[in-house]
């Protein structure tokens, strides 16, 4: 028996004011009680299509039918009223409030016009958590709960507001394998209860595991809707990118060279005085990739801030080629041939209101090659910018285009082009492929391996376990500011075991040899 289509988006057209055709005659149909994957490269039009569905954008052409009835979705609030919920990749929770307070925020049960009924709010939050088998302490403050639980709170928020169609944007990006499996069990429960889920992800193996059908987009158009069971991950990536994509890499044997960085007894506290890095020590050699895995918030960001010069408030020492960097400013550290791909590309990786050329040269405008006695060598910079745009496959109108107008994957390529073009000896890559498509990810990963093979030392911090397992020569797991384990035979490591170290279920007591190898 054919399932009923709960939602149809027919012939959607969306053209932005700058002339970019984000959606061109795109159609999408959702069946009741299915998990439907939405796939495509960054800039393929997925986000715009979901913004149209969630009322953030209005389509220029096309229509939306909800349970067979044509409807206009005017705003996110209107979408919620119509039973459409969205869980964004970056959580929208109030950290200082409890789980229950976040779930009922804006639609709280009240005693009277002035007072929220807190007791009833807790009861209702507990009731909806029980209904969907979400084992959560609703009285806990959000700032105290793990990332995986925050993901569940976001889903419960949408369900509490009556969502029957749930849009999940990169829901497993920061989850361990165990947390991902838990989420999938709960998504299956939602499906059994008649909910429909739109699952946006770049992790094709997860699409195969959890999704029923997939709609694949490329360059603003739909490449069709397919049964996931009938497709391989290679089929998916080929439809997304238009060519064969390497999902696994043939790595050359590691050829370690001299030690380029030494970290000794590093201890870092955050602005609230909480210890985030706990007496951490390790060496980094040229010609190797040291991968660091871990649930977010276990000290990875604080470690990166210290070794790139962003934070001087720490105990212990960091040396690059036996030179202590404590008294070096950021530019001086960069001039020691260190490149940094930041975790948050929009917050600290680029200047969105500046154009591509200005972003590309923000760290090297004063090099003799580009700077004269009085003026910058603009023609040389323009030519170089065009060369890098071509080399790094940046999709844009020209180097004059504002970086903020590019897709996430193309912004990341601009940042990578800027950092890699300096000829670094040390690369600190923090989430280098987060939220970007398989094509852009393949390109960046291949470049990291090329640098490693040429003798560069790479620190790779990533929540993508496939990434750290396929690229790392040594793999450390960070838990509560320490390394809970270090693997030197990375190819033998199972994701499930890695997850146990990430969650603190397991810990190796003796790591010194592996960290000073």
């Amino acid at each position: 028996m054919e399932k009923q289509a709960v939602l149809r988006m027919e012939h959607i057209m969306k053209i932005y004011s700058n002339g970019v055709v984000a959606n061109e005659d795109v159609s999408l149909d959702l069946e009741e009680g299915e998990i439907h994957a939405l796939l495509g490269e960054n800039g393929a039009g997925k986000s715009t299509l979901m913004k149209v569905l969630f009322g953030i954008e209005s389509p220029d052409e096309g229509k939306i039918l909800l349970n067979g009835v044509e409807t206009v979705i005017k705003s996110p609030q209107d979408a919620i009223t119509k039973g459409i919920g969205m869980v964004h990749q970056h959580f929208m929770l109030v950290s200082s409030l409890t789980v229950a307070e976040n779930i009922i925020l804006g639609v709280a049960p009240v005693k009277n016009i002035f007072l929220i009924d807190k007791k009833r709010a807790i009861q209702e939050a507990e009731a909806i958590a029980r209904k969907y088998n979400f084992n959560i302490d609703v009285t806990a403050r959000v700032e105290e709960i793990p990332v995986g639980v925050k993901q569940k709170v976001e889903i419960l928020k949408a369900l509490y507001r009556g969502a029957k169609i749930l849009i999940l944007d990169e829901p497993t990006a920061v989850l361990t394998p165990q947390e991902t499996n838990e989420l999938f069990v709960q998504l299956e429960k939602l499906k059994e209860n008649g909910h429909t889920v739109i699952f946006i992800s770049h992790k094709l193996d997860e699409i195969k595991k959890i999704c029923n059908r997939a709609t694949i987009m490329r360059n603003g158009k739909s490449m069709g809707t397919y049964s996931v069971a009938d497709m391989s991950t290679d089929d998916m990536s080929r439809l997304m990118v238009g060519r064969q994509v390497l999902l696994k890499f043939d790595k050359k044997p590691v050829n370690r060279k001299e030690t380029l960085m030494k970290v000794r007894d590093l201890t870092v506290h955050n602005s609230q005085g909480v210890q985030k890095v706990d007496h951490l020590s390790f060496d980094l050699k040229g010609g190797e990739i040291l991968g660091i895995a871990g649930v977010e918030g276990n000290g990875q960001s604080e470690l990166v801030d210290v070794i790139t010069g962003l934070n001087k408030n720490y105990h212990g020492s960091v040396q690059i080629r036996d030179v202590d960097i404590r008294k070096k400013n950021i530019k001086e550290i960069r001039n020691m041939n260190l490149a940094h791909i930041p975790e948050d590309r929009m917050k600290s990786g680029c200047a969105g209101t500046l154009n591509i050329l200005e972003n590309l040269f923000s760290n090297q405008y004063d090099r003799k090659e580009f700077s004269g006695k009085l003026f910058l060598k603009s023609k040389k910079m323009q030519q170089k910018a065009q060369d890098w745009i071509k080399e790094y496959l940046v999709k844009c109108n020209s180097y004059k285009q504002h970086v903020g107008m590019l897709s996430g994957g193309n912004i990341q390529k601009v940042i990578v082009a800027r950092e890699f073009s300096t000829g670094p000896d040390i690369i600190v890559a923090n989430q280098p492929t987060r939220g970007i498509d398989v094509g852009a990810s393949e390109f960046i990963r291949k470049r990291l391996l090329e640098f490693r093979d040429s003798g560069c030392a790479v620190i790779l911090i990533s929540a993508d376990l496939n990434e750290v397992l396929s690229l790392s020569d040594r793999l450390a797991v960070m838990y509560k500011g320490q390394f809970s384990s270090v693997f030197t035979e990375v190819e033998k490591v199972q994701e499930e075991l890695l997850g146990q170290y990430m969650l603190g279920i397991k810990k190796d007591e003796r790591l010194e040899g592996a960290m000073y190898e």
Side-chain angles (χ1 to χ4, degrees):
M1 187 174 120
E2 189 175 337
K3 290 185 178 180
Q4 180 186 352
V6 292
L7 178 112
R8 290 187 192 277
M9 301 181 78
E10 296 184 352
H11 309 294
I12 299 296
M13 178 77 77
K14 179 64 186 178
I15 304 172
Y16 286 111
S17 56
N18 62 357
V20 172
V21 181
N23 289 155
E24 184 178 349
D25 193 28
V26 178
S27 295
L28 172 72
D29 73 276
L30 301 176
E31 294 174 352
E32 184 178 5
E34 76 163 334
I35 301 175
H36 193 114
L38 185 59
L39 298 173
E41 292 187 275
N42 286 89
K46 308 185 303 295
S47 295
T48 297
L49 190 67
M50 291 301 96
K51 285 177 181 177
V52 168
L53 178 55
F54 198 55
I56 297 169
E57 299 281 359
S58 298
D60 297 310
E61 293 180 22
K63 58 185 179 181
I64 298 173
L65 289 87
L66 202 54
N67 296 312
V69 179
E70 187 172 345
T71 187
V72 175
I73 301 174
K74 299 173 183 174
S75 66
Q77 186 56 50
D78 190 26
I80 291 166
T81 303
K82 290 180 165 73
I84 301 168
M86 186 167 185
V87 177
H88 298 270
Q89 186 176 348
H90 302 289
F91 302 147
M92 296 185 176
L93 301 172
V94 182
S95 296
S96 58
L97 298 182
T98 66
V99 168
E101 288 165 341
N102 271 276
I103 289 172
I104 56 91
L105 194 62
V107 285
V110 294
K111 286 183 177 179
N112 55 51
I113 197 169
F114 300 110
L115 291 175
I116 291 174
D117 190 337
K118 290 188 177 182
K119 185 178 179 182
R120 193 172 139 214
I122 291 171
Q123 290 171 343
E124 291 185 4
E126 286 176 336
I128 197 161
R130 267 197 314 274
K131 179 179 177 181
Y132 294 102
N133 285 355
F134 282 56
N135 184 21
I136 297 176
D137 177 6
V138 301
T139 62
R141 292 197 182 279
V142 163
E143 61 194 359
E144 298 167 351
I145 62 177
V147 172
V149 178
K150 290 177 184 175
Q151 177 75 265
K152 296 173 187 176
V153 176
E154 284 281 20
I155 293 171
L156 286 174
K157 260 176 65 180
L159 295 173
Y160 183 75
R161 286 155 179 75
K164 293 295 289 181
I165 298 170
L166 201 57
I167 305 164
L168 301 183
D169 187 5
E170 297 286 347
T172 65
V174 294
L175 303 186
T176 64
Q178 287 86 347
E179 289 169 331
T180 296
N181 289 336
E182 275 184 40
L183 176 65
F184 285 179
V185 168
Q186 281 143 356
L187 293 184
E188 291 287 356
K189 179 75 174 175
L190 289 176
K191 193 169 85 167
E192 289 169 16
N193 283 322
H195 292 275
T196 300
V197 177
I198 301 175
F199 190 93
I200 304 170
S201 178
H202 296 300
K203 297 182 179 180
L204 302 185
D205 53 337
E206 291 182 358
I207 299 293
K208 285 288 294 177
K209 188 173 183 179
I210 192 67
C211 296
N212 306 107
R213 294 190 301 152
T215 295
I216 300 176
M217 297 186 68
R218 190 198 319 159
N219 296 328
K221 299 177 182 177
S222 171
M223 296 290 104
T225 297
Y226 304 85
S227 167
V228 170
D230 298 335
M231 301 185 81
S232 68
T233 53
D234 283 344
D235 294 333
M236 292 180 199
S237 61
R238 192 162 47 246
L239 281 164
M240 288 165 62
V241 181
R243 61 176 174 81
Q244 188 68 41
V245 175
L246 287 175
L247 300 175
K248 292 186 178 179
F249 299 94
D250 291 325
K251 280 171 59 181
K252 294 179 183 177
V254 64
N255 180 20
R256 290 186 175 86
K257 301 182 183 300
E258 75 276 17
T259 299
L260 295 181
M261 181 183 289
K262 293 178 183 176
V263 176
R264 292 291 181 270
D265 204 29
L266 184 66
T267 301
V268 187
H269 293 77
N270 66 13
S271 56
Q272 287 80 43
V274 177
Q275 184 171 275
K276 301 300 289 185
V277 180
D278 183 6
H279 300 282
L280 199 66
S281 296
F282 64 91
D283 286 352
L284 179 69
K285 294 180 181 292
E288 74 164 340
I289 296 178
L290 170 61
I292 298 179
V295 176
E296 284 196 18
N298 277 281
Q300 303 97 312
S301 297
E302 289 78 8
L303 170 63
V304 169
D305 285 350
V306 169
I307 62 182
T308 57
L310 291 165
N311 180 14
K312 297 294 183 185
N313 186 21
Y314 61 89
H315 298 285
S317 69
V318 177
Q319 294 181 350
I320 294 177
R321 286 197 175 88
D322 296 325
V323 177
D324 197 302
I325 68 168
R326 183 181 292 276
K327 294 182 180 178
K328 303 283 185 184
N329 62 35
I330 293 171
K331 185 158 186 59
E332 287 170 334
I333 293 171
R334 290 304 200 99
N335 287 341
M336 298 170 87
N337 281 356
L338 181 141
H340 176 207
I341 302 172
E343 179 179 16
D344 189 326
R345 54 179 165 257
M346 294 311 298
K347 184 178 176 183
S348 50
C350 72
T353 56
L354 298 183
N355 66 33
I356 293 171
L357 183 145
E358 290 163 334
N359 273 276
L360 285 171
F361 286 95
S362 60
N363 65 340
Q364 51 192 313
Y365 62 89
D366 56 350
R367 283 169 54 183
K368 285 184 180 180
E369 185 182 354
F370 307 117
S371 182
K373 289 182 180 179
L374 294 175
F375 302 104
L376 295 174
K377 298 176 182 177
S378 57
K379 284 190 178 177
K380 200 157 195 174
M381 292 169 73
Q382 289 164 10
Q383 183 57 54
K384 208 67 178 172
Q386 288 171 339
D387 291 345
W388 289 335
I389 286 168
K390 186 176 179 182
E391 181 183 353
Y392 285 85
L393 309 174
V394 181
K395 291 181 184 176
C396 60
N397 298 330
S398 78
Y399 60 77
K400 296 178 182 177
Q401 189 172 355
H402 280 191
V403 162
M405 298 302 296
L406 302 177
S407 70
N410 285 299
I411 293 171
Q412 193 75 347
K413 286 179 185 176
V414 170
I415 294 166
V416 169
R418 180 189 69 214
E419 297 302 316
F420 287 2
S421 63
T422 60
D425 293 329
I426 299 171
I427 296 171
V428 181
N430 194 355
Q431 312 295 348
T433 64
R434 169 176 288 169
I436 65 175
D437 55 80
V438 289
S441 296
E442 175 203 32
F443 181 85
I444 291 170
R445 289 165 183 168
K446 281 173 72 176
R447 282 298 167 108
L448 287 172
L449 285 174
E450 287 168 9
F451 273 100
R452 169 252 202 192
D453 293 342
S454 69
C456 186
V458 180
I459 295 178
L460 171 63
I461 296 171
S462 179
D464 186 331
L465 299 190
N466 284 331
E467 182 167 79
V468 288
L469 286 170
S470 62
L471 298 184
S472 302
D473 300 302
R474 281 186 298 157
L475 177 54
V477 181
M478 216 163 168
Y479 178 71
K480 291 189 175 179
Q482 297 180 330
F483 289 148
S484 59
S485 185
V486 179
F487 302 96
T488 53
E489 295 180 307
V490 180
E491 66 281 356
K492 296 180 180 178
V493 180
Q494 299 294 317
E495 281 195 18
E496 193 72 20
L497 176 64
L498 202 56
Q500 290 178 345
Y501 284 106
M502 290 168 69
L503 293 168
I505 298 168
K506 283 193 167 192
K507 181 172 181 179
D508 289 340
E509 297 303 325
R510 300 187 62 172
L511 304 173
E512 287 82 1
M515 291 325 296
Y516 305 127
E517 188 177 306

